[in-house]
Amino acid sequence: MTIWVDADACPVAAKEILFRAAMRSEILLVLVANQYIRVPPSPFIKSVQVVAGFDVADNEIAQKAEAGDLVVTADIPLAADVVAKKCVALNPCGELYTAENIRQRLNMRDFMETLRSSGIQSGGSPPYDQTDRQRFANQLDAYITRYQKSRG
C-alpha cells in the first residue's frame, strides 16, 4: 500500500501527522505537488514535484494510485477518480470519501461552484482546527491498523 497526498493544499498539521504515521508504520508516503515540498529524511517518505498546471498533481495521483492505496485529498473530483479505482480517499479533516457518498459530494461541489460563478459568496472553508486534526489522525490510524492486520 502507498499513501498518496495531494500536497499543494494539504495543511501543514496534516502533513506532520502523515510523516509520523509513515515512519511508525513503515508505509510509503508520497506527497505530490507542483512546488517543492520539504519532507523529513526517511526511506518511507518521498516528494514528487510535477509541472505547474491545472490538476497536474491530481492527474499524477489518479494515474499512479492502485486499489487499496490511501489518497489524502480535499479535491472531490480526485477523490471520485480514486474511489472508482478501489482506493480509499480521506480528506485532511478526517472525512472518508466512499463509493456510497462520493456522488453526493460531487453534486454538492458542483452546486457550490454554480453559486460562486453566479456571484454568490459562500464564505469558504473554516480554518483547520484541533478537531479536524484529531479526526484526521484517528481515521488515518484506523486505516493503517486495518491494513496491517490484513497483512497478518
Side-chain angles (χ1 to χ4, degrees):
M1 178 189 66
T2 300
I3 300 172
W4 297 91
V5 181
D6 182 4
D8 285 321
C10 187
V12 171
K15 289 177 196 165
E16 291 169 356
I17 292 166
L18 287 159
F19 296 152
R20 288 191 300 273
M23 288 187 273
R24 182 183 70 247
S25 64
E26 299 184 352
I27 293 174
L28 180 61
L29 172 68
V30 180
L31 290 90
V32 181
N34 61 19
Q35 59 188 340
Y36 173 75
I37 300 288
R38 186 176 182 164
V39 298
S42 169
F44 304 105
I45 302 171
K46 123 180 176 181
S47 176
V48 174
Q49 184 176 354
V50 296
V51 297
F54 185 71
D55 285 343
V56 175
D58 295 354
N59 294 338
E60 176 81 5
I61 293 169
Q63 179 183 16
K64 300 269 174 99
E66 298 178 358
D69 286 353
L70 176 64
V71 176
V72 177
T73 185
D75 185 277
I76 308 278
L78 173 57
D81 289 346
V82 299
V83 165
K85 290 179 74 172
K86 305 288 188 231
C87 299
V88 173
L90 174 65
N91 80 14
C93 295
E95 179 185 6
L96 281 172
Y97 299 115
T98 65
E100 292 76 31
N101 71 15
I102 196 64
R103 176 62 43 205
Q104 177 187 7
R105 300 298 186 272
L106 276 169
N107 290 340
M108 181 56 75
R109 174 200 174 271
D110 292 345
F111 174 70
M112 296 304 288
E113 182 64 31
T114 300
L115 287 177
R116 283 189 295 274
S117 67
S118 66
I120 297 172
Q121 298 299 318
S122 63
S125 300
Y128 194 69
D129 64 16
Q130 184 60 36
T131 302
D132 297 326
R133 285 191 288 272
Q134 189 62 51
R135 195 172 31 237
F136 176 71
N138 290 343
Q139 287 283 12
L140 179 64
D141 187 54
Y143 187 76
I144 289 172
T145 300
R146 281 192 305 273
Y147 168 75
Q148 290 175 326
K149 284 183 180 179
S150 73
R151 286 185 17 199

